[in-house]
Amino acid sequence: DAGITQSPRHKVTETGTPVTLRCHQTENHRYMYWYRQDPGHGLRLIHYSYGVKDTDKGEVSDGYSVSRSKTEDFLLTLESATSSQTSVYFCAARRDPSTDTQYFGPGTRLTVL
Amino acid sequence: DQQVKQNSPSLSVQEGRISILNCDYTNSMFDYFLWYKKYPAEGPTFLISISSIKDKNEDGRFTVFLNKSAKHLSLHIVPSQPGDSAVYFCAASARMTNFGNEKLTFGTGTRLTIIP
């Protein structure tokens, strides 16, 4: 499982509130990713990081920001949550730089009311 | 624009038979392909991968076939077991184009149900 944990595992919040999801890894992976999973869309990349303080946007980055101040933690922030951001969020890390295989955390189910 | 497509949302297969899951892609720059399995309330787990220099890769009961001219890949599971019931995602990346910055593009998934 590449030593990836996510917190919280479940969260219910209200529209307009800020939310931060945390991804923590213990195996010194350089590359980390945030995805959201929605019915009919599969997994879509939100943001990714290729090193401490190095991040870039994915295909659905609007309304999200990320930060990576140390190798083990990758934070996803919804500055002002909207109902369209209700989803299951997965963090992933790439263990071996010679392959593209990513290993996923257990997910965070976020509900925005 | 869905660059990776899994056109069958669901598939039911009798236990012991072969399960065949299909995936099509449109981006000719994709050169590395992966299959993931996902159980409810868990993260996706890596199953098997294939590079575009090969047309087949086998790992136990799982075989992935790649047809580059048709831009099509398939996952064969033989024999199918009840524990194989899950959602299967195919994914692709363009390693040679995006070297050092590889990202995966996922399909929408196929729910496989193995009937005992």
mmCIF file of all heavy atoms in Angstrom, chain A residues 34 36 44-48 56-66 76-79 85:
data_model
loop_
_atom_site.group_PDB
_atom_site.id
_atom_site.type_symbol
_atom_site.label_atom_id
_atom_site.label_comp_id
_atom_site.label_asym_id
_atom_site.label_seq_id
_atom_site.Cartn_x
_atom_site.Cartn_y
_atom_site.Cartn_z
ATOM 1 N N TRP A 34 -3.309 13.932 -6.122
ATOM 2 C CA TRP A 34 -4.664 13.963 -5.600
ATOM 3 C C TRP A 34 -5.644 13.738 -6.740
ATOM 4 O O TRP A 34 -5.562 14.405 -7.780
ATOM 5 C CB TRP A 34 -4.987 15.305 -4.937
ATOM 6 C CG TRP A 34 -4.554 15.409 -3.505
ATOM 7 C CD1 TRP A 34 -3.514 16.150 -3.007
ATOM 8 C CD2 TRP A 34 -5.161 14.783 -2.373
ATOM 9 N NE1 TRP A 34 -3.434 16.002 -1.642
ATOM 10 C CE2 TRP A 34 -4.432 15.173 -1.230
ATOM 11 C CE3 TRP A 34 -6.253 13.927 -2.221
ATOM 12 C CZ2 TRP A 34 -4.775 14.730 0.046
ATOM 13 C CZ3 TRP A 34 -6.578 13.500 -0.954
ATOM 14 C CH2 TRP A 34 -5.832 13.903 0.176
ATOM 15 N N ARG A 36 -10.003 12.810 -7.638
ATOM 16 C CA ARG A 36 -11.371 12.660 -7.166
ATOM 17 C C ARG A 36 -12.059 11.603 -8.006
ATOM 18 O O ARG A 36 -11.776 11.453 -9.208
ATOM 19 C CB ARG A 36 -12.144 13.977 -7.193
ATOM 20 C CG ARG A 36 -12.296 14.648 -8.522
ATOM 21 C CD ARG A 36 -13.124 15.936 -8.415
ATOM 22 N NE ARG A 36 -14.539 15.655 -8.175
ATOM 23 C CZ ARG A 36 -15.458 16.580 -7.946
ATOM 24 N NH1 ARG A 36 -15.121 17.861 -7.917
ATOM 25 N NH2 ARG A 36 -16.718 16.254 -7.736
ATOM 26 N N ARG A 44 -10.140 11.336 -11.659
ATOM 27 C CA ARG A 44 -9.638 12.530 -12.354
ATOM 28 C C ARG A 44 -8.595 13.234 -11.492
ATOM 29 O O ARG A 44 -8.804 13.443 -10.297
ATOM 30 C CB ARG A 44 -10.795 13.471 -12.697
ATOM 31 C CG ARG A 44 -11.740 12.914 -13.744
ATOM 32 C CD ARG A 44 -12.848 13.895 -14.065
ATOM 33 N NE ARG A 44 -13.757 14.087 -12.935
ATOM 34 C CZ ARG A 44 -14.739 14.971 -12.920
ATOM 35 N NH1 ARG A 44 -14.938 15.760 -13.957
ATOM 36 N NH2 ARG A 44 -15.526 15.084 -11.855
ATOM 37 N N LEU A 45 -7.503 13.620 -12.131
ATOM 38 C CA LEU A 45 -6.382 14.229 -11.422
ATOM 39 C C LEU A 45 -6.683 15.682 -11.070
ATOM 40 O O LEU A 45 -7.064 16.472 -11.938
ATOM 41 C CB LEU A 45 -5.120 14.146 -12.288
ATOM 42 C CG LEU A 45 -3.841 14.690 -11.687
ATOM 43 C CD1 LEU A 45 -3.409 13.878 -10.464
ATOM 44 C CD2 LEU A 45 -2.727 14.693 -12.732
ATOM 45 N N ILE A 46 -6.491 16.030 -9.805
ATOM 46 C CA ILE A 46 -6.740 17.399 -9.346
ATOM 47 C C ILE A 46 -5.429 18.201 -9.367
ATOM 48 O O ILE A 46 -5.331 19.246 -10.008
ATOM 49 C CB ILE A 46 -7.323 17.408 -7.923
ATOM 50 C CG1 ILE A 46 -8.586 16.536 -7.844
ATOM 51 C CG2 ILE A 46 -7.660 18.843 -7.500
ATOM 52 C CD1 ILE A 46 -9.091 16.330 -6.431
ATOM 53 N N HIS A 47 -4.466 17.747 -8.612
ATOM 54 C CA HIS A 47 -3.131 18.352 -8.540
ATOM 55 C C HIS A 47 -2.127 17.244 -8.295
ATOM 56 O O HIS A 47 -2.471 16.175 -7.817
ATOM 57 C CB HIS A 47 -3.031 19.345 -7.375
ATOM 58 C CG HIS A 47 -3.632 20.685 -7.608
ATOM 59 N ND1 HIS A 47 -3.006 21.694 -8.316
ATOM 60 C CD2 HIS A 47 -4.821 21.194 -7.191
ATOM 61 C CE1 HIS A 47 -3.778 22.768 -8.318
ATOM 62 N NE2 HIS A 47 -4.886 22.502 -7.649
ATOM 63 N N TYR A 48 -0.863 17.537 -8.590
ATOM 64 C CA TYR A 48 0.176 16.591 -8.246
ATOM 65 C C TYR A 48 1.436 17.335 -7.818
ATOM 66 O O TYR A 48 1.549 18.555 -8.016
ATOM 67 C CB TYR A 48 0.471 15.626 -9.413
ATOM 68 C CG TYR A 48 1.001 16.278 -10.663
ATOM 69 C CD1 TYR A 48 2.357 16.257 -10.973
ATOM 70 C CD2 TYR A 48 0.132 16.897 -11.557
ATOM 71 C CE1 TYR A 48 2.828 16.840 -12.129
ATOM 72 C CE2 TYR A 48 0.601 17.483 -12.718
ATOM 73 C CZ TYR A 48 1.942 17.447 -13.002
ATOM 74 O OH TYR A 48 2.415 18.031 -14.149
ATOM 75 N N ASP A 56 1.819 21.026 -9.440
ATOM 76 C CA ASP A 56 1.263 21.452 -10.714
ATOM 77 C C ASP A 56 -0.198 21.026 -10.788
ATOM 78 O O ASP A 56 -0.640 20.161 -10.022
ATOM 79 C CB ASP A 56 2.042 20.856 -11.884
ATOM 80 C CG ASP A 56 1.948 21.713 -13.136
ATOM 81 O OD1 ASP A 56 1.080 22.627 -13.177
ATOM 82 O OD2 ASP A 56 2.719 21.472 -14.074
ATOM 83 N N LYS A 57 -0.926 21.645 -11.726
ATOM 84 C CA LYS A 57 -2.362 21.387 -11.840
ATOM 85 C C LYS A 57 -2.637 20.141 -12.656
ATOM 86 O O LYS A 57 -1.918 19.818 -13.602
ATOM 87 C CB LYS A 57 -3.040 22.584 -12.505
ATOM 88 C CG LYS A 57 -2.971 23.856 -11.694
ATOM 89 C CD LYS A 57 -3.634 25.013 -12.443
ATOM 90 C CE LYS A 57 -3.562 26.290 -11.630
ATOM 91 N NZ LYS A 57 -4.211 27.419 -12.343
ATOM 92 N N GLY A 58 -3.751 19.486 -12.298
ATOM 93 C CA GLY A 58 -4.264 18.404 -13.105
ATOM 94 C C GLY A 58 -5.435 18.885 -13.937
ATOM 95 O O GLY A 58 -5.593 20.089 -14.177
ATOM 96 N N GLU A 59 -6.295 17.950 -14.349
ATOM 97 C CA GLU A 59 -7.377 18.309 -15.266
ATOM 98 C C GLU A 59 -8.573 18.973 -14.595
ATOM 99 O O GLU A 59 -9.373 19.618 -15.268
ATOM 100 C CB GLU A 59 -7.842 17.064 -16.038
ATOM 101 C CG GLU A 59 -8.433 15.970 -15.166
ATOM 102 C CD GLU A 59 -8.944 14.784 -15.956
ATOM 103 O OE1 GLU A 59 -9.766 14.982 -16.867
ATOM 104 O OE2 GLU A 59 -8.518 13.647 -15.641
ATOM 105 N N VAL A 60 -8.729 18.830 -13.260
ATOM 106 C CA VAL A 60 -9.894 19.407 -12.573
ATOM 107 C C VAL A 60 -9.435 20.212 -11.353
ATOM 108 O O VAL A 60 -9.895 19.980 -10.233
ATOM 109 C CB VAL A 60 -10.919 18.321 -12.176
ATOM 110 C CG1 VAL A 60 -11.606 17.769 -13.409
ATOM 111 C CG2 VAL A 60 -10.273 17.204 -11.373
ATOM 112 N N SER A 61 -8.558 21.164 -11.555
ATOM 113 C CA SER A 61 -7.921 21.866 -10.438
ATOM 114 C C SER A 61 -8.707 23.083 -9.934
ATOM 115 O O SER A 61 -8.406 23.587 -8.836
ATOM 116 C CB SER A 61 -6.519 22.316 -10.850
ATOM 117 O OG SER A 61 -6.591 23.154 -11.985
ATOM 118 N N ASP A 62 -9.696 23.550 -10.686
ATOM 119 C CA ASP A 62 -10.428 24.745 -10.260
ATOM 120 C C ASP A 62 -11.101 24.524 -8.912
ATOM 121 O O ASP A 62 -11.817 23.556 -8.704
ATOM 122 C CB ASP A 62 -11.496 25.118 -11.302
ATOM 123 C CG ASP A 62 -10.882 25.714 -12.553
ATOM 124 O OD1 ASP A 62 -9.677 26.034 -12.511
ATOM 125 O OD2 ASP A 62 -11.604 25.853 -13.549
ATOM 126 N N GLY A 63 -10.884 25.480 -7.981
ATOM 127 C CA GLY A 63 -11.487 25.392 -6.656
ATOM 128 C C GLY A 63 -10.651 24.648 -5.641
ATOM 129 O O GLY A 63 -11.038 24.542 -4.474
ATOM 130 N N TYR A 64 -9.493 24.149 -6.079
ATOM 131 C CA TYR A 64 -8.593 23.401 -5.193
ATOM 132 C C TYR A 64 -7.199 24.025 -5.198
ATOM 133 O O TYR A 64 -6.757 24.544 -6.208
ATOM 134 C CB TYR A 64 -8.448 21.953 -5.672
ATOM 135 C CG TYR A 64 -9.711 21.155 -5.768
ATOM 136 C CD1 TYR A 64 -10.403 21.051 -6.975
ATOM 137 C CD2 TYR A 64 -10.209 20.476 -4.661
ATOM 138 C CE1 TYR A 64 -11.558 20.308 -7.077
ATOM 139 C CE2 TYR A 64 -11.365 19.725 -4.754
ATOM 140 C CZ TYR A 64 -12.033 19.642 -5.967
ATOM 141 O OH TYR A 64 -13.181 18.889 -6.057
ATOM 142 N N SER A 65 -6.535 23.916 -4.048
ATOM 143 C CA SER A 65 -5.126 24.264 -3.970
ATOM 144 C C SER A 65 -4.415 23.172 -3.183
ATOM 145 O O SER A 65 -5.055 22.396 -2.466
ATOM 146 C CB SER A 65 -4.910 25.626 -3.307
ATOM 147 O OG SER A 65 -5.384 25.603 -1.974
ATOM 148 N N VAL A 66 -3.097 23.074 -3.348
ATOM 149 C CA VAL A 66 -2.323 22.054 -2.652
ATOM 150 C C VAL A 66 -1.072 22.689 -2.072
ATOM 151 O O VAL A 66 -0.644 23.768 -2.477
ATOM 152 C CB VAL A 66 -1.915 20.886 -3.581
ATOM 153 C CG1 VAL A 66 -3.119 20.035 -3.970
ATOM 154 C CG2 VAL A 66 -1.189 21.407 -4.806
ATOM 155 N N LEU A 76 -4.489 18.883 0.440
ATOM 156 C CA LEU A 76 -5.439 19.384 -0.551
ATOM 157 C C LEU A 76 -6.426 20.297 0.166
ATOM 158 O O LEU A 76 -7.052 19.884 1.146
ATOM 159 C CB LEU A 76 -6.200 18.221 -1.207
ATOM 160 C CG LEU A 76 -7.282 18.607 -2.207
ATOM 161 C CD1 LEU A 76 -6.660 19.170 -3.492
ATOM 162 C CD2 LEU A 76 -8.157 17.400 -2.542
ATOM 163 N N THR A 77 -6.572 21.527 -0.319
ATOM 164 C CA THR A 77 -7.460 22.493 0.320
ATOM 165 C C THR A 77 -8.557 22.947 -0.626
ATOM 166 O O THR A 77 -8.279 23.293 -1.782
ATOM 167 C CB THR A 77 -6.678 23.716 0.810
ATOM 168 O OG1 THR A 77 -5.746 23.309 1.816
ATOM 169 C CG2 THR A 77 -7.615 24.762 1.426
ATOM 170 N N LEU A 78 -9.769 22.916 -0.116
ATOM 171 C CA LEU A 78 -10.900 23.517 -0.793
ATOM 172 C C LEU A 78 -11.143 24.835 -0.068
ATOM 173 O O LEU A 78 -11.563 24.849 1.096
ATOM 174 C CB LEU A 78 -12.143 22.639 -0.692
ATOM 175 C CG LEU A 78 -12.149 21.298 -1.437
ATOM 176 C CD1 LEU A 78 -11.152 20.305 -0.874
ATOM 177 C CD2 LEU A 78 -13.552 20.700 -1.406
ATOM 178 N N GLU A 79 -10.842 25.948 -0.702
ATOM 179 C CA GLU A 79 -10.885 27.243 -0.026
ATOM 180 C C GLU A 79 -12.297 27.594 0.421
ATOM 181 O O GLU A 79 -12.508 28.144 1.492
ATOM 182 C CB GLU A 79 -10.341 28.334 -0.946
ATOM 183 C CG GLU A 79 -8.892 28.122 -1.378
ATOM 184 C CD GLU A 79 -7.884 28.281 -0.244
ATOM 185 O OE1 GLU A 79 -8.261 28.802 0.835
ATOM 186 O OE2 GLU A 79 -6.724 27.875 -0.415
ATOM 187 N N GLN A 85 -18.207 19.707 -5.163
ATOM 188 C CA GLN A 85 -16.987 19.090 -4.689
ATOM 189 C C GLN A 85 -17.262 17.902 -3.758
ATOM 190 O O GLN A 85 -16.318 17.303 -3.223
ATOM 191 C CB GLN A 85 -16.107 20.123 -3.989
ATOM 192 C CG GLN A 85 -15.580 21.176 -4.956
ATOM 193 C CD GLN A 85 -14.802 22.283 -4.292
ATOM 194 O OE1 GLN A 85 -15.247 22.874 -3.287
ATOM 195 N NE2 GLN A 85 -13.636 22.596 -4.826
#
